[in-house]
Amino acid sequence: MTDKLIIFDTTLRDGEQSPGASMTRDEKLRIARQLERLRVDVIEAGFAASSNGDFEAVRAIAQAVRESTVCSLARANDRDISRAAEALRPAARSRIHTFIATSELHMEKKLRMTREQVLEQARLAVRFARNLCDDIEFSPEDGYRSDPEFLCQVIETVIAEGATTINIPDTVGYAIPELYGHFIRMLRERVPNSDKAVWSVHCHNDLGMAVANSLAGVKIGGARQIECTINGLGERAGNCSLEEVVMAVKTRRDHFGLDVGIDTHQIVPASRMVSQTTGFVVQPNKAIVGANAFAHASGIHQDGVLKARDTYEIMRAEDVGWTANKIVLGKLSGRNAFKQRLQELGIEMASEAEVNAAFARFKDLADRKSEIFDEDIIALVGDESVTAVQEHYRLLSLAQRSETGERPHATIAFAAGDVEYRVESEGNGPVDATLKAIESKVCSGAEMVLYSVNAITSGSTESQGEVTVRLQHSGRIVNGVGSDPDIVVASAKAYLAALSKLQSNAERVPAQS
Ligand code: KIV
Ligand code: ZN
């Protein structure tokens, strides 16, 4: 057994299945590039057969990523597997991940198939996939709730057909660490050809134990791959969180004795990018990536940390990519200095046009905000008005008036494609008036299911506000994010970004539909 633990990131597939977290091709590509900087071993880029949009996203990622293996999910049928292989063709290293449910409940109620049919379909799928790709992962969906006897039979069969990784999903997050660890161990002991494949764990977080279960699968069960997502993103309560599981294995190397290839300095930038793109805010007390994760507020702790950091610190904030709130650039900084800072922060822009758009936004921000921090720059490049230069709706100008005793009023100018509009409205507050004014022209009919404001840098009212808006319309859910020192402006940008996404045709079908 090797001492290397493979980190398989499924933010762009299982994470994206979370309602509201669906991403455009370009957003997925940007995150994939960050995952490569993070040095994850495998990036599950999507589910190529689920939609043309996801096919294109998997293909673009396969083209762009050179270091990590790029993987696509596929149901256990020839069509899905062919689509996955086609999308992965440009990849330097590729993997097809095929799955079929093996629990009695799923086979009978969902698939309406017998055990014999499922076994045969799994066998044929892996045989077919193996002719198209050398690296094949097989997952018995709802594996943890499957009959062990039958599960062993399926696994032995697919390994004999050439599956190189066997992944055991706890699809509904039902497992308990000790039991899951022993389950993996039992399977590895009972399946006669188990040593011919790498064993993998895939845990959902419904009982809050996805990380603990995954670690038990490694420690007790002997698994050597963990499937996880940035910020634990995923349907319902999410998946095993990459940052937690990686830092647990690294910090407690004395216990696990395993190496991970992750560049931990890229963890916080990755967390921030995923949160900004999806609009799923990270709770302040979230381990590793929460704003308070390294904040020592009590006097006793502060005193101890000042005397010797390891009195209360088991990890260093800088090792996971937290930067001190440093003033890095000012209004006199030039384009080169700005570009260099982007590089130092590990931010790669897709084109010079994006750098120019980001630099223009930086200049604008520096005129209005005296101190620019790294966090401001990260937010600025994540701002959809910069990265999605092709956005349909764009803010041109905004004026709003609010006075005690008066009803707030907003006048806004925005562009829809090449046409410019000027609209005005009253509202309960300045944000409400602004969004009502936009809606009076666009008439999207969308329902707002989330509106949230966060301060990008803490500790000062000078901080930029970052607004996330989530809209729902005809079964589609989209997020828009905007940042600005003026939260009314940030709100208008976020709303226009969300409307642009609704207006585009980017579609996505969830994996298990
Ligand atoms: O949770 C699950 O069962 C899955 C499989 C498709 C691997 O995500
Ligand atoms: Zn899953």
Side-chain angles (χ1 to χ4, degrees):
M1 212 187 293
T2 78
D3 287 342
K4 164 98 199 270
L5 181 64
I6 298 167
I7 300 298
F8 176 109
D9 181 278
T10 182
T11 306
L12 300 175
R13 198 280 297 171
D14 214 339
E16 204 215 11
Q17 275 171 225
S18 180
S22 76
M23 302 170 214
T24 63
R25 191 195 78 121
D26 289 352
E27 288 169 338
K28 289 183 101 177
L29 189 55
R30 205 172 336 131
I31 291 176
R33 289 201 167 102
Q34 177 60 24
L35 292 173
E36 191 178 30
R37 277 193 285 276
L38 187 60
R39 299 217 203 105
V40 304
D41 299 286
V42 186
I43 298 174
E44 188 162 48
F47 180 9
S50 69
S51 69
N52 290 336
D54 226 25
F55 178 89
E56 290 305 332
V58 175
R59 190 156 60 182
I61 293 168
Q63 245 152 17
V65 167
R66 296 289 93 186
E67 298 298 326
S68 314
T69 296
V70 181
C71 171
S72 172
L73 187 70
R75 280 163 298 199
N77 64 59
D78 292 2
R79 181 193 166 268
D80 270 29
I81 293 169
S82 303
R83 286 294 276 171
E86 204 183 324
L88 291 169
R89 196 163 296 140
R93 297 185 186 87
S94 58
R95 174 180 295 187
I96 296 176
H97 176 192
T98 187
F99 75 100
I100 188 162
T102 51
S103 67
E104 290 303 321
L105 191 63
H106 279 229
M107 289 189 293
E108 189 193 323
K109 299 273 192 286
K110 188 181 80 171
L111 299 177
R112 297 183 206 284
M113 287 169 77
T114 62
R115 282 185 174 202
E116 291 68 32
Q117 287 170 323
V118 166
L119 178 65
E120 191 54 13
Q121 193 159 327
R123 178 206 308 279
L124 293 176
V126 172
R127 183 178 294 173
F128 183 72
R130 195 52 213 253
N131 284 327
L132 301 172
C133 181
D134 288 341
D135 186 346
I136 303 299
E137 174 166 330
F138 175 80
S139 288
E141 193 193 1
D142 206 18
Y144 182 65
R145 291 193 304 168
S146 301
D147 169 39
E149 186 82 28
F150 177 59
L151 192 54
C152 287
Q153 205 187 347
V154 173
I155 295 171
E156 184 183 349
T157 304
V158 297
I159 294 178
E161 291 295 343
T164 42
T165 299
I166 297 298
N167 178 47
I168 307 298
D170 175 23
T171 303
V172 291
Y174 181 67
I176 304 289
E178 219 186 331
L179 300 182
Y180 184 71
H182 285 291
F183 188 71
I184 304 285
R185 188 172 175 159
M186 174 275 295
L187 294 175
R188 285 186 50 240
E189 283 168 1
R190 277 175 61 174
V191 171
N193 51 2
S194 67
D195 60 324
K196 303 275 183 307
V198 173
W199 288 70
S200 166
V201 290
H202 178 110
C203 298
H204 282 265
N205 202 32
D206 298 66
L207 291 172
M209 288 188 281
V211 170
N213 288 336
S214 303
L215 291 173
V218 168
K219 182 70 185 169
I220 304 173
R224 286 295 176 266
Q225 173 176 287
I226 291 185
E227 303 203 349
C228 45
T229 60
I230 303 289
N231 299 338
L233 188 71
E235 269 182 289
R236 310 185 308 275
N239 286 63
C240 169
S241 130
L242 179 145
E243 56 280 6
E244 292 178 23
V245 96
V246 163
M247 290 316 290
V249 172
K250 273 189 105 82
T251 308
R252 296 306 310 271
R253 201 181 182 289
D254 59 320
H255 179 67
F256 291 103
L258 293 171
D259 294 320
V260 281
I262 297 293
D263 176 359
T264 58
H265 298 93
Q266 296 296 336
I267 286 180
V268 168
S271 161
R272 196 157 171 92
M273 190 184 282
V274 168
S275 156
Q276 250 187 0
T277 309
T278 58
F280 281 61
V281 175
V282 174
Q283 77 198 51
N285 58 335
K286 163 92 171 63
I288 321 292
V289 292
N292 291 350
F294 290 88
H296 296 277
S298 89
I300 295 175
H301 283 208
Q302 281 175 351
D303 181 51
V305 169
L306 285 176
K307 286 177 178 147
R309 285 184 76 158
D310 54 1
T311 48
Y312 288 100
E313 270 188 11
I314 57 163
M315 296 167 277
R316 296 184 329 161
E318 54 270 37
D319 289 346
V320 297
W322 284 104
T323 52
N325 265 2
K326 274 191 309 206
I327 304 168
V328 286
L329 293 171
K331 67 195 259 180
L332 298 179
S333 307
R335 186 180 180 281
N336 280 347
F338 176 72
K339 207 173 158 184
Q340 188 180 336
R341 193 64 205 148
L342 291 180
Q343 269 160 14
E344 284 161 5
L345 288 169
I347 298 166
E348 235 175 69
M349 304 299 269
S351 64
E352 284 301 304
E354 276 197 8
V355 177
N356 290 342
F359 183 62
R361 290 261 301 118
F362 159 75
K363 280 294 195 189
D364 177 45
L365 182 64
D367 272 343
R368 289 175 301 136
K369 188 172 186 289
S370 54
E371 298 173 330
I372 307 277
F373 299 99
D374 280 341
E375 286 79 357
D376 290 314
I377 297 175
I378 295 168
L380 191 139
V381 297
D383 193 311
E384 310 195 359
S385 57
V386 171
T387 51
V389 231
Q390 73 284 14
E391 290 290 271
H392 183 68
Y393 295 108
R394 278 172 299 114
L395 176 68
L396 299 175
S397 68
L398 169 62
Q400 52 85 15
R401 203 180 55 237
S402 56
E403 204 179 321
T404 319
E406 293 291 318
R407 210 165 145 67
H409 180 274
T411 306
I412 176 164
F414 68 95
D418 295 334
V419 188
E420 293 183 7
Y421 296 105
R422 193 183 154 81
V423 282
E424 53 188 296
S425 175
E426 289 188 340
N428 282 345
V431 172
D432 188 47
T434 302
L435 304 197
K436 279 199 169 111
I438 298 173
E439 196 55 33
S440 71
K441 187 78 224 167
V442 177
C443 302
S444 72
E447 181 195 352
M448 188 180 295
V449 287
L450 175 93
Y451 170 83
S452 83
V453 190
N454 280 294
I456 286 174
T457 44
S458 50
S460 151
T461 49
E462 255 231 343
S463 173
Q464 284 198 86
E466 182 177 82
V467 173
T468 303
V469 165
R470 188 172 300 153
L471 299 180
Q472 181 167 11
H473 189 259
S474 308
R476 286 185 68 205
I477 304 177
V478 295
N479 290 305
V481 180
S483 54
D484 198 274
D486 180 333
I487 61 161
V488 186
V489 173
S491 304
K493 285 182 183 172
Y495 194 69
L496 291 169
L499 288 177
S500 291
K501 284 192 190 163
L502 267 189
Q503 206 257 348
S504 84
N505 289 326
E507 28 143 11
R508 172 156 170 92
V509 179
Q512 274 113 3
S513 68

